[in-house]
Amino acid sequence: MIPTPYAVSIRRFLALLSFPETITMILLIAAFAVSASLSPYFLDIRYLLDSTSLYMEVGLMALAMTLVIISGNIDLSIASNLALTAVICAKLYSSLGVPMAVALILAPVIGSALGLANGLVVTMLRLPSLAVTLGTLALYRGLAQVLVGDHSIGHFPDWFTGIDYRYLGPMPMPLLIFLGAAVLFALLLHKTVFGRCVFAVGTNELAAKFSGIRTGRVKLAIFTLSGAMAGCGAMMMLSRLSVARYDLALGDELAVITTVVLGGTDIFGGRGTILGTALALLLLDIIRRGMGVANVSAEDQLAVTGALLVAAVLLARLSAGIGRRVSLISHR
Amino acid sequence: MPRWSIALSLALMILISSCKRQEVSQTAPSQGGKLRMVYIPKNTGNPYFDPLVDGFRKAASDAGVDFTTVAPATADATSQLPLIEDQVQRGVNVLALSPNSPDALNPALRDAMRRGITVITVDSDLTGSEDARTAAVLTVDPQTVGQSQIELMGSLIGYKGKFAILSATTDAPNQNLWIGFMKDTLAKNPKYSQMQLVEIAYGNDEPQKSTTECEALLTKYPDLRGILSPTTVGIAAAANVVEAAGKASQIMVTGLGTPDQMRRFVKDGTVKAFALWSPYDEGYLAGIVGPQIAGGALKPVPGAKFQAGSLGPREFRDNNIIITGPPVTFTIDNIDQFHF
């Protein structure tokens, strides 16, 4: 049967809907339009660019979390890892006199080690990552509190602090660093063999194993990467706030997971894109700023963000269903 | 989704927001010549800040100032950061806030000051980083609070026995300062030598956590004589727990609370006495000082005296701190005269 032009355009439209990040993009456009109509103070490129600095640590962690979730795992300890790494580095600098430049390089190493510890327990003991990282979520935060108690460590060198007030052209540094990292992660996930392995592990771990993929090693690498990004986020946050405390990024693991899921990544694994995560981060930023400058109350903001997440997951389910149907039709 | 359509949409958004910029920055600073003031409390749902906001409102309407208030959902160290940036973007003239952290907000506040905004800290200060705000409106001397709270606790338990402190968050600058002076008073004044501070618990200014911490105190120290909670959420939780346990005659609850919130416990005898300054006056004072500095009528320099509306004369102390007034002790005899 020869398809009519009408049927072709419908199929194209359905195919478009089936991309994981399509829903995110549509929501982003809607959020932008609503925010612009809510308040005259919203449409200001300088302000919009500057305000991204508030969420770039979450962004860095969300990039790694995208891989973690696509592989069918979860890392709830990621924000606690950030706090512990930040506290350790600050302590090294202030108590042991380690130069800040060295601490800066050590941060991703420390973060990776903490992430690797998660990975080792998950793979060696075959425990679900949800349970393991739920434990380290409390453990890492607790260790950070043991190290510094209720005090703040500050007084970092001037070259190190205030990353959010440094620019390259019109772009604040945190945003640039995030964009750079996003490109690297996109290449890693979508263009390398390792990336294919991540999808394979998340789609069907047993099948991946029988296909000759060393699933344990893939998972170790993913958790280590997750820790490394927490370490990078730690340095960015330390520079931005110029103070290390045990409660840095408290509760941010939820913001990270929200970002990833909102970006169209399937919470059960096997499906997702870096582009989707980046767009979701932008979406959350736009929504919060839009409601913020319109003086929307904190409770209403939480409710809107929550409703959005539920809607996004629902729509993503629908779009995945459409995707399967479209591919069935075209294979017929 | 095709990459080009995403790129196109993003480019469009950037374009739209670039075009509108000029128009906005021209209208932002003032609307019809009225000064604009915003107040950011520590968090939503904290009854302590209600009268404070009322005080702000009164001062603002007296002076013809535009006033709004916004609050973060939680009281953690960085939750006020986005709110500060949003208000700077809204082009307010006076940014008053009760900071949740003495250091994490400073870069953002300094940035606001660089843009010509008058920053007033209310109720808590940025101790050690006073350059990150224009002036501070504080309750009473921390030393007076510490001393008077210990005297109040002592008078209730006959200056003898074990008592515990139920504080707010571990990092709350006010509470930590007061507790420091409380410890100091206990150590130095022989009058209090038989009083023993057994533990400082932290309820994070959340009713549930405060209740749990308080119940733990009762279990841990069966011979506890008193609970001193220098925070409004904590003292109400402590009164509730002690009342529910039927130990009101053994354990004296006191501290800092609002009359409206504590009235029930004072009337049924669970709480004999507690103290507080007037948060209403504090908000009123800050609401007068902020716009006057922003309008250029008042120069914030130590030693400068001024007339603070119905409160009478006040002055800038060292580090541009202005003190609201002495604390008031509330008992069954006078509580009905106060409504906040």
Side-chain angles (χ1 to χ4, degrees):
Chain A
M1 191 180 96
I2 301 156
T4 59
Y6 177 67
V8 168
S9 58
I10 284 209
R11 190 181 300 168
R12 278 213 186 126
F13 176 71
L14 289 179
L16 183 69
L17 270 187
S18 71
F19 283 96
E21 66 269 6
T22 304
I23 303 292
T24 319
M25 193 63 218
I26 293 170
L27 288 173
L28 179 58
I29 295 169
F32 187 82
V34 171
S35 299
S37 66
L38 270 181
S39 164
Y41 305 108
F42 176 77
L43 283 180
D44 178 349
I45 189 76
R46 176 83 273 128
Y47 163 70
L48 288 178
L49 283 177
D50 280 353
S51 70
T52 58
S53 298
L54 288 170
Y55 307 109
M56 287 306 125
E57 297 94 4
V58 167
L60 288 180
M61 292 190 280
L63 292 176
M65 187 68 88
T66 309
L67 268 65
V68 175
I69 294 182
I70 289 177
S71 79
N73 290 282
I74 197 127
D75 183 0
L76 294 174
S77 74
I78 197 161
S80 300
N81 185 336
L82 183 152
L84 181 55
T85 306
V87 161
I88 290 175
C89 288
K91 199 87 181 160
L92 285 175
Y93 168 74
S94 69
S95 304
L96 301 177
V98 174
M100 202 61 217
V102 177
L104 183 66
I105 296 163
L106 272 179
V109 179
I110 297 168
S112 301
L114 296 173
L116 180 65
N118 280 330
L120 283 174
V121 179
V122 169
T123 51
M124 299 286 198
L125 303 179
R126 309 252 166 100
L127 291 172
S129 55
L130 182 80
V132 173
T133 57
L134 190 63
T136 46
L137 159 85
L139 175 69
Y140 291 167
R141 182 78 62 187
L143 285 177
Q145 195 169 10
V146 168
L147 272 175
V148 288
D150 310 325
H151 306 289
S152 325
I153 304 178
H155 305 292
F156 301 111
D158 282 344
W159 66 263
F160 176 73
T161 57
I163 192 170
D164 48 335
Y165 291 103
R166 287 165 211 263
Y167 298 88
L168 193 76
M171 305 280 271
M173 282 310 278
L175 181 61
L176 275 175
I177 293 173
F178 169 77
L179 290 177
V183 169
L184 290 180
F185 266 89
L187 291 175
L188 179 69
L189 181 63
H190 302 300
K191 302 284 177 207
T192 66
V193 176
F194 174 75
R196 299 313 305 166
C197 292
V198 173
F199 279 105
V201 170
T203 311
N204 189 333
E205 193 176 343
L206 206 60
K209 191 171 262 174
F210 286 132
S211 319
I213 295 173
R214 295 200 227 184
T215 54
R217 284 198 184 181
V218 172
K219 283 207 261 183
L220 271 186
I222 292 171
F223 276 102
T224 309
L225 202 56
S226 167
M229 292 318 280
C232 296
M235 284 302 104
M236 197 187 269
M237 191 172 275
L238 219 52
S239 168
R240 184 165 66 86
L241 301 175
S242 61
V243 56
R245 305 175 34 79
Y246 83 89
D247 61 356
L248 285 182
L250 188 64
D252 271 4
E253 58 277 343
L254 291 181
V256 170
I257 296 167
T258 303
T259 310
V260 175
V261 174
L262 204 51
T265 298
D266 191 335
I267 193 74
F268 296 115
R271 188 168 182 271
T273 60
I274 291 294
L275 180 63
T277 299
L279 288 177
L281 186 71
L282 198 58
L283 169 63
L284 284 172
D285 175 42
I286 296 277
I287 289 175
R288 293 200 189 109
R289 296 286 61 76
M291 291 193 287
V293 286
N295 279 352
V296 173
S297 77
E299 296 88 343
D300 293 349
Q301 290 198 26
L302 282 178
V304 169
T305 319
L308 196 75
L309 185 62
V310 174
V313 172
L314 211 67
L315 289 172
R317 274 281 114 153
L318 285 176
S319 101
I322 292 169
R324 270 195 296 278
R325 219 156 295 161
V326 170
S327 60
L328 276 181
I329 296 170
S330 33
H331 284 300
R332 226 174 253 167
Chain B
M1 192 165 187
R3 298 290 136 88
W4 63 264
S5 64
I6 290 180
L8 190 72
S9 315
L10 290 178
L12 253 164
M13 286 184 200
I14 292 174
L15 200 70
I16 294 171
S17 38
S18 316
C19 293
K20 287 278 258 186
R21 182 175 57 170
Q22 302 241 301
E23 189 188 319
V24 166
S25 50
Q26 274 163 14
T27 54
S30 60
Q31 278 177 340
K34 256 188 171 183
L35 283 175
R36 299 168 69 202
M37 172 164 66
V38 68
Y39 170 58
I40 308 177
K42 282 180 191 276
N43 58 334
T44 55
N46 190 335
Y48 176 77
F49 295 105
D50 295 344
L52 228 151
V53 167
D54 288 342
F56 262 106
R57 267 209 188 95
K58 170 85 173 104
S61 74
D62 284 356
V65 172
D66 232 32
F67 174 74
T68 48
T69 177
V70 284
T74 57
D76 55 84
T78 55
S79 61
Q80 289 167 321
L81 264 183
L83 277 73
I84 294 170
E85 297 202 350
D86 292 338
Q87 295 308 319
V88 170
Q89 172 67 10
R90 288 179 65 85
V92 295
N93 307 99
V94 180
L95 176 71
L97 85 164
S98 300
N100 280 327
S101 159
D103 35 38
L105 306 172
N106 298 353
L109 292 177
R110 287 198 186 99
D111 183 54
M113 285 179 70
R114 265 198 298 277
R115 298 179 191 220
I117 295 172
T118 302
V119 177
I120 309 281
T121 52
V122 186
D123 205 65
S124 319
D125 201 5
L126 309 166
T127 310
S129 308
E130 281 84 359
D131 65 304
R133 47 83 173 150
T134 317
V137 173
L138 302 180
T139 52
V140 279
D141 294 295
Q143 194 171 4
T144 316
V145 175
Q147 286 170 349
S148 63
Q149 287 278 291
I150 290 298
E151 170 56 32
L152 194 56
M153 186 83 251
S155 68
L156 288 169
I157 62 173
Y159 303 100
K160 204 167 153 184
K162 291 180 178 172
F163 75 101
I165 291 176
L166 176 64
S167 185
T169 57
T170 51
D171 192 44
N174 269 344
Q175 274 76 9
N176 286 347
L177 207 56
W178 300 331
I179 291 171
F181 281 112
M182 286 180 203
K183 286 180 177 165
D184 203 50
T185 310
L186 282 173
K188 288 191 180 139
N189 193 333
K191 185 179 177 187
Y192 309 119
S193 60
Q194 297 201 48
M195 286 166 67
Q196 191 194 349
L197 172 58
V198 288
E199 188 174 328
I200 301 171
Y202 297 93
N204 290 359
D205 265 352
E206 291 161 15
Q208 191 51 49
K209 177 102 185 339
S210 304
T211 303
T212 320
E213 291 291 329
C214 195
E215 281 165 348
L217 286 175
L218 261 59
T219 320
K220 241 158 119 183
Y221 309 101
D223 54 345
L224 196 68
R225 292 292 328 277
I227 295 173
L228 197 171
S229 183
T231 164
T232 55
V233 180
I235 188 173
N240 247 326
V241 168
V242 169
E243 185 179 44
K247 291 191 169 173
S249 54
Q250 183 208 325
I251 300 175
M252 297 294 140
V253 174
T254 190
L256 303 173
T258 69
D260 277 352
Q261 186 192 21
M262 301 303 292
R263 198 175 318 274
R264 180 169 80 78
F265 299 111
V266 170
K267 294 242 160 123
D268 71 14
T270 309
V271 174
K272 301 274 183 301
F274 66 98
L276 197 67
W277 47 86
S278 163
Y280 178 87
D281 287 351
E282 195 179 16
Y284 178 70
L285 181 57
I288 287 178
V289 170
Q292 285 207 15
I293 295 178
L298 196 58
K299 285 265 169 294
V301 282
K305 291 185 170 56
F306 62 97
Q307 198 64 29
S310 59
L311 290 179
R314 289 288 186 275
E315 69 166 322
F316 287 96
R317 300 193 180 186
D318 287 349
N319 283 328
N320 284 334
I321 291 172
I322 312 165
I323 298 293
T324 309
V328 186
T329 300
F330 304 102
T331 62
I332 187 85
D333 300 322
N334 69 354
I335 194 162
D336 279 338
Q337 298 163 25
F338 297 92
H339 296 278
F340 63 89

